[in-house]
Amino acid sequence: MTFVFTQGQSIVFAGDSITDAGRTLDIGKIGDRLLGEGYVRNTVGLIDARYPDNGLQVHNTGIGGITSVDLVELWDEQVLARRPDWVTVMIGINDCNLTIADHELAVPPEAYERNCRDILTRTKAADVRIVLLEPFYMWPEDEPGHLQQRTLDLLADYRTIIRDLVKEFRTLHVRTHEAFQEQLRFRPLDEIGIEPVHPTPSGHLVIAHALLDVIGW
């Protein structure tokens, strides 16, 4: 597969705290690019290492704690206003966890689907290409406890929504949850996750490599 990003393109990474990874705390720079300390910085660093003349304009717009509701409200100002050629999007674990907790800000699957569809429709209308990363939960599917089982079961609905939207909108698709389940077959959680939601540095590399595989790096 040919590397899909071409020289000088603008790339926006959008998502929640997993994408943010310290970016909003002014952590994680490559040159003058503030990228956080997670998979965004890893991805950009590996692209730079292989393609030093890439000239990509990269923006991390991840914000900790947000849901798809917030992303809808922020999309035009934070993402489309940067006139990207590509956007990568990973959102949904906060939607899922707030729904399990029956929180007033819960975003159940049907609302999540509407929000993601809104974002994708606007993005396609702006002639921007899209990479969707599934939300994930770093817990072995064959040994869940009660809360972990509820999370895995509900998250499966959010992941199915992403997979259906990938087909409908013809986006690229990163199977992030599957990548972590493969890791958990051989490695304990504490090597890849601070807890089941937030990756360690090694866990962020798992996301970066899954993303790089999909974009033909």
Side-chain angles (χ1 to χ4, degrees):
M1 178 180 177
T2 303
F3 186 46
V4 300
F5 297 164
T6 58
Q7 190 173 34
Q9 286 188 320
S10 175
I11 320 296
V12 174
F13 293 81
D16 52 31
S17 60
I18 302 165
T19 301
D20 181 342
R23 190 271 309 183
T24 51
L25 299 175
D26 292 335
I27 296 171
K29 282 190 174 182
I30 295 182
D32 62 354
R33 297 174 293 184
L34 188 57
L35 302 177
E37 291 187 319
Y39 77 90
V40 176
R41 190 175 69 169
N42 292 338
T43 299
V44 174
L46 288 166
I47 290 171
D48 288 347
R50 178 164 287 182
Y51 305 104
D53 63 342
N54 67 79
L56 296 175
Q57 304 169 52
V58 181
H59 309 278
N60 182 350
T61 64
I63 301 174
I66 67 170
T67 67
S68 61
V69 173
D70 304 300
L71 205 56
V72 166
E73 295 176 356
L74 295 167
W75 198 253
D76 287 348
E77 177 184 354
Q78 293 291 320
V79 178
L80 296 184
R82 300 179 188 273
R83 303 179 64 83
D85 297 288
W86 287 87
V87 299
T88 80
V89 189
M90 181 163 58
I91 197 76
I93 189 60
N94 293 329
D95 303 57
C96 178
N97 284 340
L98 289 169
T99 300
I100 287 173
D102 198 26
H103 193 278
E104 62 180 355
L105 299 179
V107 187
E110 58 273 18
Y112 177 73
E113 191 275 338
R114 287 195 303 271
N115 295 335
C116 291
R117 181 179 297 279
D118 182 334
I119 288 167
L120 294 174
T121 299
R122 281 189 271 163
T123 306
K124 282 286 188 179
D127 197 27
V128 178
R129 284 162 285 187
I130 303 163
V131 183
L132 285 179
L133 294 84
E134 293 183 7
F136 60 85
Y137 189 69
M138 293 177 287
W139 193 271
E141 291 181 336
D142 59 352
E143 52 179 79
H146 176 65
L147 176 60
Q148 291 85 1
Q149 183 66 66
R150 290 182 65 199
T151 304
L152 288 166
D153 288 348
L154 184 58
L155 188 67
D157 293 340
Y158 293 83
R159 291 170 50 227
T160 296
I161 288 166
I162 291 297
R163 294 183 180 202
D164 289 345
L165 292 172
V166 163
K167 294 176 183 176
E168 180 179 345
F169 286 87
R170 299 183 179 181
T171 78
L172 296 183
H173 178 205
V174 183
R175 299 175 182 267
T176 327
H177 183 77
E178 290 181 8
F180 278 115
Q181 290 300 310
E182 177 66 13
Q183 291 287 318
L184 287 166
R185 291 179 56 208
F186 304 100
R187 304 170 67 189
L189 170 62
D190 61 7
E191 289 190 6
I192 59 173
I194 300 167
E195 21 71 12
V197 171
H198 294 96
T200 62
S202 181
H204 276 286
L205 279 169
V206 172
I207 303 173
H209 277 276
L211 173 56
L212 290 164
D213 284 346
V214 166
I215 62 175
W217 176 78

